[in-house]
Amino acid sequence: MKRVIGLALAAMLAGAGMAQAEWPEKPVKLVVPFKPGGTSDQMARVLQASLEDAGALAQPLTVVNVGGHYSIGSRQVLEAEADGYNFLIIHIALMGGEGTGALDFSWRDFKPVAATGEFCLAPMVRKDSGIETVEQLLEKVKAEPDTMIFGANLGAINHMAGIMLQNLEEGAKFRFVQIGGGTANFTALTGNQTGATVLSGAEVVNFTLLPDGSENPDSQIRPLAYTGSERFDGLPDLPTMKELGYDMNFCVKNWIFAPKETPDEVVEKFNAALEQATQTDRYQEFLTSKGFAPTFLTGADLQADLDATWEAIEPVAKQAAQK
């Protein structure tokens, strides 16, 4: 009898090991807590295609967009089963939401997986606003504080960037309103519901240029500058904030998180697959076309980056909460 029990137990353990080794046995879900078209969505889609190009996963990666406030999609992953089939792609919004009090959970409540595709931003206005420079924008919101509506996802990247932007001129103040992510803010600015916002370089290209790289004559919005340390090749005529004499360098990584108790073995396997995806021609061409830095962080390097980012963004987020 003992021998039978021992054999049964060994079979069970072997079966469990085999099940673990076979991950993934079904499609893996990657939640984008924003509507389609924005930077996080574009990154998720290119990772999805690049994983397939590389043959890095035995099952497909399924991208799921969850609109509304980014807390909704983030919470879905936070509360999802930690079985290795639920992941979240997001950026500094997760920290901004904690710092402003917009979220009742933290980035620390997730398991960090990877960071990839660092991107920078561009302050935007309508072409018919009469504003053609950052200086003119700041002069206007200083002369008429709390009157220009700045579209944002409160507590998220565009809100943090707006705070940093107004801090460049003493007395300048936007009126921040909840709009959403990049696509929603593009729509609101185009529709004259807002007077300013920020978009990523990738979103500016997506929303204002034609496929051949020329300006879309139907676009009604204008980028004023770029928050990267160097000009974006996709928008070569757009000066950096530093070139214009402003101390604002603000670039953001896409972070992938999982539910806190997701097995380490699964995270390691997913990271290995993602790293393969980042080596594909498709992914590298995407980075070049969108002006993303070829960042890929995991493990201790990722944790150090998260800690440093939180240290930098927490005071800005607290200021945003006092608007």
Side-chain angles (χ1 to χ4, degrees):
M1 175 64 73
K2 289 182 179 179
R3 183 171 182 272
V4 172
I5 293 174
L7 289 172
L9 180 59
M12 289 174 62
L13 292 173
M18 184 178 297
Q20 181 66 55
E22 291 174 353
W23 179 94
E25 297 180 299
K26 61 182 181 180
V28 177
K29 182 168 70 173
L30 180 62
V31 170
V32 179
F34 307 103
K35 293 180 180 179
T39 299
S40 295
D41 181 61
Q42 292 181 55
M43 176 57 67
R45 302 284 171 183
V46 75
L47 285 173
Q48 178 186 46
S50 299
L51 282 165
E52 184 174 349
D53 290 348
L57 282 181
Q59 295 286 336
L61 181 72
T62 302
V63 176
V64 178
N65 293 90
V66 179
H69 194 268
Y70 62 90
S71 61
I72 299 172
S74 300
R75 185 179 292 280
Q76 285 186 12
V77 177
L78 177 73
E79 298 177 349
E81 188 174 355
D83 58 359
Y85 293 95
N86 297 286
F87 295 89
L88 170 73
I89 184 167
I90 195 169
H91 41 57
I92 209 167
L94 200 56
M95 292 184 178
E98 178 184 355
T100 61
L103 301 181
D104 61 359
F105 55 88
S106 168
W107 58 277
R108 302 175 196 81
D109 296 325
F110 295 85
K111 173 167 284 188
V113 176
T116 186
E118 188 172 22
F119 62 93
C120 310
L121 309 168
M124 309 291 296
V125 295
R126 285 179 55 85
K127 287 181 179 177
D128 61 6
S129 66
I131 297 171
E132 298 186 1
T133 66
V134 172
E135 182 180 14
Q136 290 174 349
L137 175 62
L138 293 176
E139 285 176 350
K140 182 173 180 62
V141 293
K142 179 178 182 179
E144 305 170 25
D146 206 30
T147 59
M148 178 176 284
I149 297 175
F150 191 104
N153 218 350
L154 297 180
I157 176 175
N158 42 26
H159 191 191
M160 300 298 100
I163 292 289
M164 292 179 181
L165 184 61
Q166 73 177 20
N167 284 351
L168 296 173
E169 182 67 42
E170 186 176 357
K173 187 177 183 182
F174 293 108
R175 178 150 60 99
F176 295 99
V177 298
Q178 172 63 33
I179 298 295
T183 303
N185 273 291
F186 162 72
T187 302
L189 189 58
T190 298
N192 206 22
Q193 298 168 359
T194 59
T197 192
V198 294
L199 297 176
S200 71
E203 289 165 341
V204 175
V205 169
N206 193 36
F207 296 139
T208 68
L209 300 185
L210 296 172
D212 64 2
S214 61
E215 183 177 354
N216 184 346
D218 294 328
S219 174
Q220 300 177 49
I221 61 176
R222 171 187 291 128
L224 302 178
Y226 190 59
T227 63
S229 59
E230 298 179 354
R231 290 196 183 196
F232 172 31
D233 289 343
L235 299 165
D237 296 330
L238 189 64
T240 66
M241 294 290 289
K242 183 178 180 180
E243 286 180 76
L244 298 177
Y246 296 104
D247 184 17
M248 181 178 177
N249 186 306
F250 187 40
C251 299
V252 178
K253 299 177 183 69
N254 287 282
W255 294 319
I256 298 175
F257 290 97
K260 188 74 170 180
E261 300 305 318
T262 301
D264 290 340
E265 299 91 328
V266 169
V267 170
E268 290 170 5
K269 289 179 180 179
F270 193 32
N271 275 338
L274 289 170
E275 189 166 16
Q276 287 184 56
T278 64
Q279 303 306 311
T280 62
D281 290 342
R282 182 194 299 270
Y283 186 82
Q284 293 298 319
E285 289 168 3
F286 173 82
L287 293 185
T288 299
S289 67
K290 302 300 184 182
F292 286 12
T295 303
F296 188 75
L297 303 176
T298 61
D301 290 338
L302 173 58
Q303 187 61 53
D305 178 70
L306 290 167
D307 291 339
T309 303
W310 172 244
E311 183 178 354
I313 204 65
E314 183 184 15
V316 179
K318 288 183 175 180
Q319 183 184 350
Q322 301 170 4
K323 72 176 188 66

